[in-house]
């Protein structure tokens, strides 16, 4: 049985993201990052194993910083390995690795078009 994370008063608890194609989005995150999913009908899939639980809902919209969306950022101890894995499983690098005060990062979009970033302090 899955161990539930505690609900913490006034802390971020869950995130929901759009997905043009829930099936391909699920396959990408399962293969690339080992997330697990629970389907709630054909238009919603909840995920866990991501550090923060959440879900994808069916939508033609995408989460992108160019349209004012919040950016979900992953951490990686091995940035280049993570980048290669993302490309191997169908992600598209939208901003190559760059440095910033405190580390390095890159941005990518997953098969449904949502933008994410990955950073490392190494």
């Amino acid at each position: 049985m899955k161990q539930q994370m505690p609900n913490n008063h006034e802390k971020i608890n869950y995130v929901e993201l759009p997905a043009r194609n829930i099936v391909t989005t699920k396959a990408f995150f399962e293969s690339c990052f080992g997330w697990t999913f629970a389907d709630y009908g054909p238009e919603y899939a909840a995920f866990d194993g991501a550090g923060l639980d959440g879900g994808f809902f069916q939508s033609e919209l995408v989460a992108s910083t160019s349209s004012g969306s919040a950016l979900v950022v992953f951490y990686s101890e091995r940035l280049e390995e993570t980048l290669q894995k993302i490309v191997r499983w169908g992600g598209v690098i939208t901003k190559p690795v760059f440095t910033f005060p405190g580390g390095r990062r890159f941005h990518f979009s997953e098969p449904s078009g949502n933008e994410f970033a990955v950073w490392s302090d190494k």
Side-chain angles (χ1 to χ4, degrees), residues 35-75:
W35 294 8
T36 57
F37 287 87
D39 293 328
Y40 294 92
E43 295 187 355
Y44 194 88
F47 61 79
D48 62 30
L52 174 68
D53 291 347
F56 288 101
F57 59 91
Q58 182 69 46
S59 176
E60 288 304 312
L61 301 175
V62 297
S64 171
T65 57
S66 66
S67 63
S69 176
L71 181 64
V72 175
V73 182
F74 293 75
Y75 174 77

Side-chain angles (χ1 to χ4, degrees), residues 101-113:
R104 302 178 305 134
R105 81 183 206 189
F106 66 89
H107 293 210
F108 73 95
S109 63
E110 51 86 21
S112 278

